[in-house]
Amino acid sequence: MFKRCKLHQSILLALILPSVAIAEVEITGYLKNETSVFTRDGQVTGEADSMLDERGHDKGDLLKFENSARLFLNGYLGEESTWHADLNFIYDSEGVNDYYKGHELYTQHDYVRELYVDTSALGWDMRLGKQQVVWGTADGIKLLDIINPTDFRELNQNAMEDSRIPIWMINAERNIGDNSNVQLIVSQVEENKIPGLNPNGDAGHPFLMKGVETISGQVNGFYNVAPALSNVAATFNGAAMGGGFTGGMPLPVGLNLFAGLTVDGFAGNFWDAATTPGLLNPTVPTDPVAAPGWLLLNAFSQFGFTGQPGFPAGLNDPNGNYGSTNLMPITGLTPLSPTEVTWDPENASSAFEVMSNATF
């Protein structure tokens, strides 16, 4: 149900009492359905919610099922002025979340797309209200057409008049002589709408761009990877302070003593974590208790101190990543088993491999 508002009541009065409010109202419109399907199986960019999430869509699944009723209303206000309204009642049952299903202000799904009055005063022609101002287009490229923001929910597949977002403004124009004119625009400020640049990340949106995923994606987005890296750093620092790298001798300065050690310097070497539980001592690959550093790095990354000596039994360390973001190129996540991982900085596919030369 629609909530009654002043605009709603005004439109009703205009339709019911045309002889009182407006002399004549012209109404046109259309009904439209847009349906599209996926043409192959797979997972769209940014859809996974963990490193091991392989959920996706099947060939033939609905990508879009959008129904809309568009109404255009035009009328006169007195002898010199006219008014226009563009109403768009629209719903897409396949939208990835409520933001992309039905009405949302200042998007392609705004129910009141346009509402303005055309009038003139003191030699100025004015359009007052919610509107679009088009400053030239060329074969789908928007160079000067920058007054109105754009809704990129389907990238460039929508007509510009639909993807352009009408905003409230004063648009005044006046001729100067026979060959010149001047235009004055005072407009509302509204940003472009880009899938993924929302608080919830829009996971599963079929038009989410790779660049956006590197910002907000659950697995690969810096917005989520950075805090996870910070948690791993806290785990390493705690291990260093507890003597994990110094034969059990507490080290109040933490990782400061290892400022020159790189990520690959740790991950690419071998450590003895078996004969001295809770401690990490450098060793060689031929040592029967040698553990590759990347396994220990993955253990700290995925599980933190969970299961380590001195950590409360039965509790999970909140600093653990547990496969949520792409810190290490894991192939599985058996509880407290860090061995399902690889390490290949030259063909990096994870955060720590990319930053293999970063120092502690």
Side-chain angles (χ1 to χ4, degrees), residues 186-228:
V186 180
S187 71
Q188 170 190 5
V189 176
E190 189 67 34
E191 71 277 3
N192 292 324
K193 302 301 188 294
I194 300 175
L197 296 184
N198 291 314
N200 60 21
D202 297 333
H205 194 289
F207 292 94
L208 198 149
M209 294 179 284
K210 278 283 189 181
V212 173
E213 192 217 3
T214 63
I215 299 173
S216 61
Q218 173 57 46
V219 174
N220 295 306
F222 187 76
Y223 181 80
N224 295 302
V225 170

Side-chain angles (χ1 to χ4, degrees), residues 123-145:
W124 289 85
D125 294 324
M126 293 181 288
R127 177 167 289 180
L128 312 174
K130 194 176 186 182
Q131 58 187 283
Q132 301 183 41
V133 172
V134 182
W135 276 1
T137 59
D139 296 329
I141 301 174
K142 300 176 69 171
L143 299 176
L144 298 178
D145 187 16

Side-chain angles (χ1 to χ4, degrees), residues 163-176:
S163 63
R164 197 181 294 114
I165 301 172
I167 53 177
W168 297 94
M169 68 177 76
I170 298 172
N171 179 10
E173 190 170 353
R174 179 172 185 164
N175 291 327
I176 301 177

Side-chain angles (χ1 to χ4, degrees), residues 186-345:
V186 180
S187 71
Q188 170 190 5
V189 176
E190 189 67 34
E191 71 277 3
N192 292 324
K193 302 301 188 294
I194 300 175
L197 296 184
N198 291 314
N200 60 21
D202 297 333
H205 194 289
F207 292 94
L208 198 149
M209 294 179 284
K210 278 283 189 181
V212 173
E213 192 217 3
T214 63
I215 299 173
S216 61
Q218 173 57 46
V219 174
N220 295 306
F222 187 76
Y223 181 80
N224 295 302
V225 170
L229 289 172
S230 176
N231 290 339
V232 178
T235 299
F236 267 91
N237 192 58
M241 293 180 68
F245 304 111
T246 51
M249 181 180 68
L251 194 64
V253 296
L255 287 176
N256 288 341
L257 191 63
F258 304 93
L261 181 64
T262 65
V263 172
D264 192 45
F266 179 86
N269 282 300
F270 289 80
W271 303 83
D272 175 4
T275 57
T276 53
L279 307 179
L280 296 175
N281 300 313
T283 184
V284 294
T286 55
D287 191 323
V289 295
W294 70 81
L295 297 186
L296 301 177
L297 176 58
N298 191 49
F300 277 169
S301 298
Q302 307 305 337
F303 308 112
F305 286 130
T306 303
Q308 296 294 324
F311 193 82
L315 296 181
N316 290 329
D317 187 346
N319 281 339
N321 182 60
Y322 305 103
S324 178
T325 59
N326 189 8
L327 298 183
M328 294 286 288
I330 61 174
T331 58
L333 197 65
T334 302
L336 299 184
S337 175
T339 59
E340 298 167 295
V341 66
T342 59
W343 181 254
D344 186 6

